[in-house]
Amino acid sequence: GVINKLRQEGTLFSLANVINTYGEMAPIHFAVNDDTANGLTLTAELDDAANTSVTWSKVTLNQYDYSTGVFPVSRQLVNGSFPIIPYLSELIGRRVQRGMNNILTNADGSSKPTGLLTGLSTGHTCASTTAITLADLWSLKDSVNNFYGSGPDAVWMMNQSVYSYLVQNIVDGNDRSLLMPYETGFSGSTYPTILGSRVIINPDFPDRAASAK
């Protein structure tokens, strides 16, 4: 159904941890913390260990109602031989996929969800508002804690225009791209990669511009 289409074709949804809820469960509260600054502290024998309390905060997931809109269907189509039900199911699935991807990417959090771009902090700022260099890519990658940035779940996300720009412009002296356009995974599937991490093409990400993420 619609959920399967989102998982197959969605960009952000296909990466999301989906929580199935039943009835009126919203809002849902999650306790979260950032403990990346803590590790081990050398302690002398018989000395008390230092107090490194865990600092907790809360993330709240609210409920929002969205609609694909109501559309009339011709009686002739319903009564004819055209497979109207499968066609409309496909159409509705694509409306939901396009709409949810835009919401999950760009929603501003004001009486609506907080999209990925709204919640992101800046890891690296390019010197140019339109040009992106290999050094910029490395600086952005290095701005992410290695625990998260080097794992299999770490991905790049951009629109097709930005990805095409990188493939064509990040080149060596013989105009050969320094980016790996595709890499074969263990499942036999192929996908774009940059600096060893998979690329997700998200049509709702911005083009190259000042202040764009």
Side-chain angles (χ1 to χ4, degrees):
V2 171
I3 298 300
N4 287 334
K5 179 165 289 296
L6 289 171
R7 287 175 175 159
Q8 292 170 3
E9 300 184 30
T11 50
L12 274 178
F13 194 93
S14 65
L15 299 172
N17 236 343
V18 179
I19 302 171
N20 294 315
T21 60
Y22 304 92
E24 295 294 330
M25 296 184 63
I28 302 175
H29 304 289
F30 290 94
V32 297
N33 79 292
D34 180 358
D35 199 52
T36 54
N38 294 315
L40 295 176
T41 303
L42 181 64
T43 305
E45 186 176 5
L46 303 180
D47 281 358
D48 293 333
N51 183 357
T52 54
S53 298
V54 176
T55 302
W56 295 98
S57 57
K58 180 176 70 174
V59 171
T60 300
L61 298 183
N62 289 305
Q63 174 179 304
Y64 302 95
D65 295 325
Y66 287 91
S67 170
T68 60
V70 177
F71 44 91
V73 178
S74 167
R75 183 185 304 172
Q76 283 79 8
L77 283 175
V78 173
N79 295 330
S81 60
F82 184 75
I84 188 64
I85 300 302
Y87 179 84
L88 291 179
S89 297
E90 178 80 9
L91 184 147
I92 291 171
R94 291 189 179 279
R95 284 190 182 188
V96 173
Q97 190 270 339
R98 285 192 297 268
M100 282 196 63
N101 190 71
N102 184 271
I103 292 165
L104 295 175
T105 302
N106 295 305
D108 61 13
S110 178
S111 298
K112 59 178 72 72
T114 300
L116 175 64
L117 290 177
T118 302
L120 283 179
S121 57
T122 301
H124 169 73
T125 302
C126 298
S128 169
T129 57
T130 56
I132 304 172
T133 67
L134 184 60
D136 288 323
L137 297 178
W138 275 113
S139 293
L140 180 57
K141 186 177 178 69
D142 290 343
S143 71
V144 180
N145 186 287
N146 191 58
F147 182 82
Y148 304 105
S150 62
D153 293 330
V155 300
W156 299 87
M157 186 168 285
M158 62 195 69
N159 67 24
Q160 182 63 49
S161 173
V162 173
Y163 178 70
S164 297
Y165 168 87
L166 295 178
V167 171
Q168 295 174 48
N169 290 276
I170 308 297
V171 297
D172 63 13
N174 295 314
D175 288 334
R176 295 174 299 188
S177 177
L178 295 178
L179 306 182
M180 180 67 70
Y182 289 91
E183 182 175 294
T184 302
F186 291 111
S187 63
S189 60
T190 58
Y191 45 80
T193 64
I194 291 177
L195 302 182
S197 295
R198 185 162 54 116
V199 178
I200 299 296
I201 304 299
N202 184 338
D204 293 305
F205 259 53
D207 289 329
R208 292 170 291 125
S211 302
K213 294 183 179 179

